[in-house]
């Protein structure tokens, strides 16, 4: 009898543990695994732009008045005729030695660049190469440690209809995650206020690209980078664009002077 009870208890314990394990396995979807694998390679980018107000003609006549006005309304952002503006975006670590890729429009006019890792470490960065045609920039950080770099997908194997995951780091909210599918692989995006700015050969996706997620990662279910998030059409329902991964690889190879796998 005691032996029977012991076996029964063991069976119940095993069933309970197995049930917990089964439940966890159901929750560990491919998207969860992608975020776990590639999320640490997505960073927050904070930029500062210092505007010299003395360059404006009006300053000569009204400098004293403007000093009082800006000091009152902008506080620490204002100093001796200069105004500091800030903006936020996302980026992707493409080389463990501290190289980050983002959209050029995120950092183009920045005076200072800060790169923030997903666990909060802050690094200074500088733009080392720009790609105006594809709206990409490569930032070199002052990191002294090996960073978690992203894996690159084969651009020839990107499929229309495949599931993709968008990861951004807007406002320091690490791992802002959305999911969707690839809707097109050869789209063109034209800026509504600039006829000369046209990006071509873009990926189209319905994975939401949140404000501040520009420059973040668009990933396949293997956790590989298929594109850098670019923009979303504001008046449409989840029509977003990403710069295809081969443009990122080309930019990185150009800077390193060597082939990247």
């Amino acid at each position: 009898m005691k032996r029977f009870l012991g076996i029964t208890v063991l069976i119940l314990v095993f069933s309970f543990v197995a049930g917990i394990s089964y439940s966890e396995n159901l929750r560990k979807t491919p998207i969860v695994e992608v975020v776990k694998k590639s999320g640490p390679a997505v960073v927050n980018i904070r930029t500062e732009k210092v505007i010299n107000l003395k360059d404006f003609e009006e300053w000569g006549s009204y400098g004293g008045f403007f000093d009082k006005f800006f000091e009152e309304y902008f506080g620490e952002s204002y100093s001796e005729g200069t105004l500091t503006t800030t903006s936020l975006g996302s980026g992707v670590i493409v080389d463990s030695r501290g190289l980050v890729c983002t959209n050029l429009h995120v950092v183009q006019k920045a005076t200072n660049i800060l790169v923030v890792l997903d666990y909060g470490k802050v690094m200074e960065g500088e733009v080392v190469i720009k790609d105006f045609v594809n709206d990409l920039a490569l930032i070199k950080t002052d990191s002294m440690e090996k960073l978690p770099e992203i894996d690159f997908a084969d651009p020839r194997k990107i499929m229309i209809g495949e599931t993709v995951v968008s990861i951004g780091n807007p406002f320091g909210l690490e791992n802002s995650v959305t999911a969707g599918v690839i809707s097109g692989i050869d789209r063109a995006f034209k800026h509504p206020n600039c006829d000369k700015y046209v990006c071509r050969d873009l990926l189209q996706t319905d994975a939401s690209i949140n404000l501040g997620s520009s420059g973040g990662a668009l990933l396949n279910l293997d956790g590989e980078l298929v594109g850098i998030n670019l923009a979303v059409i504001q008046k449409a329902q989840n029509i977003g664009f990403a710069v295809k991964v081969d443009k990122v690889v080309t930019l990185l190879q150009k800077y390193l002077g060597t082939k990247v796998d």
Side-chain angles (χ1 to χ4, degrees):
M1 184 67 177
K2 290 182 179 179
R3 183 179 180 185
F4 174 77
L5 289 174
I7 294 174
T8 302
V9 170
L10 286 175
I11 292 174
L12 290 174
V13 171
F14 176 78
S15 299
F16 177 74
V17 173
I20 294 175
S21 177
Y22 179 70
S23 176
E24 288 180 350
N25 288 335
L26 286 178
R27 291 165 52 205
K28 288 183 179 179
T29 66
I31 294 175
V32 171
E33 296 296 337
V34 168
V35 176
K36 181 179 178 181
K37 174 185 177 182
S38 303
V42 181
V43 300
N44 173 249
I45 295 178
R46 304 173 186 174
T47 65
E48 293 182 346
K49 178 185 177 184
V50 179
I51 303 172
N52 189 355
L53 300 174
K54 295 178 181 179
D55 290 340
F56 296 90
E57 293 181 5
E58 294 83 355
W59 191 267
S61 302
Y62 302 100
F65 168 77
F66 286 141
D67 268 330
K68 294 180 181 179
F69 175 82
F70 284 115
E71 284 176 353
E72 180 177 354
Y73 286 96
F74 293 97
E76 295 181 356
S77 297
Y78 178 80
S79 177
E80 299 181 357
T82 61
L83 183 64
T84 301
T85 62
T86 60
S87 63
L88 297 170
S90 301
V92 182
I93 301 171
V94 293
D95 188 281
S96 62
R97 290 166 289 186
L99 295 175
V100 175
C101 188
T102 187
N103 293 138
L104 179 57
H105 73 259
V106 172
V107 296
Q108 185 175 5
K109 297 181 180 180
T111 307
N112 301 305
I113 299 173
L114 296 177
V115 176
V116 187
L117 299 180
D118 69 332
Y119 59 88
K121 180 179 179 179
V122 180
M123 304 174 292
E124 292 186 357
E126 63 173 330
V127 177
V128 291
I129 189 169
K130 302 176 181 179
D131 181 351
F132 290 93
V133 174
N134 295 298
D135 193 12
L136 292 176
L138 201 62
I139 300 170
K140 187 178 188 303
T141 70
D142 61 356
S143 175
M144 300 299 292
E145 62 181 277
K146 187 176 181 180
L147 300 179
E149 67 181 27
I150 207 77
D151 293 328
F152 298 126
D154 185 341
R156 298 167 298 181
K157 296 181 180 180
I158 298 174
M159 300 176 288
I160 294 178
E162 73 169 300
T163 299
V164 287
V165 181
S166 172
I167 303 181
N169 196 318
F171 312 110
L173 301 173
E174 63 275 5
N175 291 349
S176 174
V177 181
T178 59
V181 299
I182 294 289
S183 307
I185 58 176
D186 189 18
R187 299 288 197 250
F189 175 79
K190 182 177 180 181
H191 194 286
N193 299 321
C194 181
D195 292 336
K196 295 182 180 180
Y197 179 71
V198 180
C199 276
R200 303 184 186 280
D201 193 29
L202 298 172
L203 298 175
Q204 180 185 329
T205 179
D206 65 348
S208 298
I209 300 173
N210 300 315
L211 183 65
S213 289
S214 290
L218 189 67
L219 307 157
N220 61 23
L221 289 185
D222 290 327
E224 299 170 330
L225 185 74
V226 297
I228 296 290
N229 293 330
L230 176 63
V232 62
I233 297 180
Q234 297 294 332
K235 296 181 180 180
Q237 293 293 323
N238 292 344
I239 297 180
F241 299 98
V243 182
K244 202 180 297 182
V245 63
D246 56 324
K247 307 294 193 307
V248 179
V249 173
T250 298
L251 190 67
L252 183 59
Q253 290 180 159
K254 184 176 180 180
Y255 175 72
L256 295 176
T258 185
K259 185 177 180 181
V260 176
D261 296 327

